[in-house]
Each structure stands twice: as C-alpha cells, then as structure tokens.
Amino acid sequence: MSNKVIWFDGSNVFVARKGKTTNNKISDGTALVQTYTFSYEQWRLATTSKGFGIKAFFALDKSNCLDCPFSLGNGNGGCYTHKFQQYTGFLALLRSIKSEDLSPFNDLKFKQLLKMSTGCYVRFGTYGEPSLIAPNVIAAIVAVAKSWTGYTHQWQKPWAKEHGKYFMASVHNQAEANEAQDKAYRSFIASQDNSENAVSCPASKEAGYKSNCAKCALCSGTLGKGTKDIKILEH
C-alpha cells in the first residue's frame, strides 16, 4: 500500500502521507497520517530551482494559506512552520512529487486515502489550509480514523461553515472565540495571557506535556472529542 496520496486542484498540490514523526508532542511514535496543502508555485520552485532561500519559498503561499495572518504571501509571516527543519522537510516532500503525480482527485485516490487513514490518527493541516480539502472527503476520513485534529483560520468564511464539524477555529482572544462559537465552531486560542475561558492544551508546556495530539484529540471540531475551547500560550 502506498504511504502517500497526491492530487492537484486549482492552484494547489495536496498531499496525505502516512509515517512516523519524531515530535513527541504530536505522537508517541505510532504512524499517523498528515495532510499538506502546497501551492503549485511552491512545487514548481522546489522542483526547478536551488538556493532560493526560505523566505522566497514561503512567500508563495497565497493560494494554499489564503488570508491566514501568519502567511508570508498574504500576512505578516511568523507561522510555526516557517522554520528551517520544516522547510527542508517540505522541499524533500515536494521534490519527491513528479509532474505526472499532479492529477485531479479521483475514486482510486479516495480509496487509497481511506485505506491509509483507517485506524490512524489523522493530522489535518500539517502545512497549509486544511479547509481547502472538500468537506465530504474530510467526513469520509474522520469516519474511519482513530482520531483526528485540525485548525482553520477560515472559520469566518461562509464557504468554510461545514468545516466546523471537524476543525477548530484558530483564534487569538476571547472575543474571537465568542464570534467563532456563534458560527458553530469550537476554538483553539493562541493566547497572550492565558485568561480565556478554555481548557489548556494537554500537550502544552504550561499543562506539563501531559499528553500528545494523537492521544488527546480534543482539537477535533464539534463532532470530535470535547465540547470546550482549547487554549495555549502563544509561542
């Protein structure tokens, strides 16, 4: 069975990959499925050029990160993925994708994706905006997954309404969390002072790293585990 499913849609390259991570905040070493959304321009740069630098790569994130405030193409940058280790990993992943792999989503890829996700923890949006994945595809994945997590900055958009079932609204204060609740979203709050009415992330430093994302899975929208908002001190 393939450990990677790739599809091309609009201006973006989507990848779902099954494997292990060394980040013990995410998993205990058990294999998980992670999704990535890259822009076509990022793939083209990675596969045709060298020595362009980290800023040039992340500046091409307009179509895959949309208006996220931490996007470099549309925002001020500063996303936690904008680090050298992640950057080199993204380049290696993109350079493993051939031009013939960039075909539309189809039934075969759908079946491969579901088979890969069955019984696994699925981490939506390891890079890029996960709400760009069709809601029916996400629904099918979570139906077979052991657990899942996901976050979106698109919670205010009418077209992203359905994603509140599966993903947390990425917000930054209590007022935004209240607004997200009105739109049927639970929130993940990147807090400045830890004052918000929410549960501290069990995988955070301030909570003593009591758990990991795969085991906890509280950040799984309104259909997943938990009913309260989650917060973490911004880092």
Side-chain angles (χ1 to χ4, degrees):
M1 182 181 71
S2 172
N3 70 340
K4 191 162 56 180
V5 178
I6 302 157
W7 68 98
F8 181 63
D9 185 18
S11 302
N12 296 315
V13 177
F14 295 84
V15 183
R17 180 172 65 173
K18 185 173 183 178
K20 296 183 178 181
T21 175
T22 57
N23 188 337
N24 57 15
K25 293 180 187 178
I26 296 171
S27 172
D28 61 1
T30 304
L32 69 155
V33 174
Q34 302 189 81
T35 76
Y36 306 78
T37 308
F38 298 101
S39 71
Y40 174 77
E41 296 300 325
Q42 287 177 322
W43 173 81
R44 188 168 68 173
L45 182 70
T47 55
T48 61
S49 306
K50 292 184 178 179
F52 42 81
I54 189 168
K55 287 188 176 180
F57 177 80
F58 286 115
L60 299 175
D61 65 4
K62 289 184 179 182
S63 66
N64 60 309
C65 293
L66 304 178
D67 59 359
C68 171
F70 302 118
S71 157
L72 191 58
N74 287 319
N76 297 319
C79 177
Y80 70 94
T81 66
H82 293 181
K83 296 183 176 70
F84 187 75
Q85 183 175 357
Q86 283 93 332
Y87 163 67
T88 55
F90 295 160
L91 290 185
L93 177 55
L94 287 170
R95 286 169 176 162
S96 73
I97 298 172
K98 310 301 181 186
S99 58
E100 55 266 29
D101 297 327
L102 302 184
S103 57
F105 197 70
N106 57 32
D107 286 344
L108 177 59
K109 294 184 181 188
F110 192 30
K111 289 176 182 177
Q112 290 174 330
L113 188 54
L114 294 186
K115 187 173 182 180
M116 193 168 69
S117 302
T118 298
C120 282
Y121 162 56
V122 179
R123 186 185 182 210
F124 290 101
T126 299
Y127 176 66
E129 178 52 64
S131 67
L132 291 169
I133 302 172
N136 66 304
V137 176
I138 296 168
I141 292 171
V142 304
V144 300
K146 181 180 180 181
S147 60
W148 79 91
T149 57
Y151 312 86
T152 178
H153 272 99
Q154 303 304 307
W155 56 271
Q156 293 170 304
K157 307 291 196 306
W159 59 262
K161 183 178 180 181
E162 285 295 304
H163 288 84
K165 295 176 183 177
Y166 316 110
F167 301 156
M168 308 293 280
S170 290
V171 305
H172 307 280
N173 53 57
Q174 188 65 56
E176 288 185 350
N178 293 342
E179 184 182 351
Q181 186 177 30
D182 291 339
K183 297 183 183 298
Y185 268 89
R186 291 171 59 219
S187 290
F188 184 79
I189 309 166
S191 175
Q192 295 289 329
D193 57 13
N194 212 27
S195 64
E196 292 82 6
N197 181 24
V199 176
S200 288
C201 167
S204 67
K205 180 180 180 181
E206 56 268 25
Y209 303 119
K210 289 186 293 189
S211 189
N212 58 59
C213 297
K215 183 179 179 180
C216 171
L218 283 173
C219 292
S220 46
T222 59
L223 288 183
K225 292 173 64 176
T227 57
K228 296 183 178 180
D229 291 343
I230 311 298
K231 62 183 176 181
I232 191 170
L233 282 171
E234 195 168 295
H235 56 281

